[in-house]
Amino acid sequence: DVVMTQSPLSLPVTLGQPASISCRSSQSLVHSDGNTYLNWFQQRPGQSPRRLIYKVSNRDSGVPDRFSGSGSGTDFTLKISRVEAEDVGIYYCMQGTHWPPITFGQGTRLQIK
Amino acid sequence: EVQLVESGGGLIQPGGSLRLSCAASGFTFSSYWMHWVRQAPGKGLVWVSRINGDGSSTTYADSVKGRFTISRDNAENTLYLEMNSLTADDTAVYYCTRGSNCVDWGQGTLVTVSS
């Protein structure tokens, strides 16, 4: 199974400041079809997960443009350009290249300083 | 608008059985892989099972293999998870999700296994 490792696991950020979350996979996430199925999810307190980013860098509909994804191969990053109060929650990366099983990172808890 | 609505959770004794349902709407249900993902209290997301569009292919996490059965009724736009021989380790919120990269999620249904 592909192991997804996120860092940091806790991320205190000042409102208006940038934030960055790293996700590393135990093997390359490049699929035989040429795509890289690395996704990012946000889970606000008490809510279901919501997908933010798919295939490394594509924002889902309705996702603010302050969220961006980048990376390749085994190293990926989610960046928030200016953190807002509504961004508080846990962020997960997930790989959909080598499945089953789909595997998630441990989660990064973003909180406001 | 895509909607996924899970139901069927509750308190069940160890060794018991439960069937979860996920009612889908707003998309062509039979065209999509569907998954069950669970989240134990205070823990992260863990994939449980998947099923292809016509129900002919299913896969399970090792932790539930032989105990859980995923199925679907495309005429009723409903996904199911039959859970047997439940243990405390199965206590979690169970989510159904749409598509191979989990584009949409339901609100989840809580399963608590306890005596």
Side-chain angles (χ1 to χ4, degrees), chain A:
Chain A
D1 297 356
V2 178
V3 177
M4 306 297 289
T5 304
Q6 290 183 228
S7 62
L9 299 185
S10 179
L11 183 57
V13 184
T14 301
L15 285 173
Q17 293 300 301
S20 180
I21 300 170
S22 170
C23 176
R24 289 186 173 176
S25 57
S26 59
Q27 59 184 276
S28 173
L29 298 186
V30 179
H31 193 274
S32 56
D33 66 7
N35 290 305
T36 300
Y37 296 102
L38 185 284
N39 310 280
W40 289 97
F41 296 83
Q42 174 195 61
Q43 188 174 29
R44 290 171 171 153
Q47 295 188 14
S48 304
R50 165 200 182 195
R51 198 177 72 177
L52 299 176
I53 302 284
Y54 63 97
K55 288 195 287 185
V56 181
S57 60
N58 298 276
R59 274 189 303 276
D60 275 284
S61 175
V63 175
D65 60 8
R66 65 178 181 275
F67 289 92
S68 64
S70 63
S72 63
T74 61
D75 289 338
F76 305 93
T77 303
L78 176 70
K79 291 184 178 176
I80 309 174
S81 59
R82 293 172 306 278
V83 169
E84 298 189 5
E86 66 178 19
D87 299 336
V88 166
I90 303 176
Y91 292 80
Y92 297 91
C93 61
M94 183 212 94
Q95 68 85 20
T97 295
H98 304 288
W99 62 288
I102 284 170
T103 47
F104 295 88
Q106 318 98 299
T108 295
R109 184 179 300 273
L110 185 147
Q111 55 202 8
I112 304 300
K113 272 187 196 173

Side-chain angles (χ1 to χ4, degrees), chain A residues 39 41 43 48 51 99-100, chain B residues 35 39 50 59 101-102 106-107:
Chain A
N39 310 280
F41 296 83
Q43 188 174 29
S48 304
R51 198 177 72 177
W99 62 288
Chain B
H35 302 262
Q39 186 172 36
R50 68 163 189 179
T59 319
N101 284 278
C102 302
Q107 87 288 350

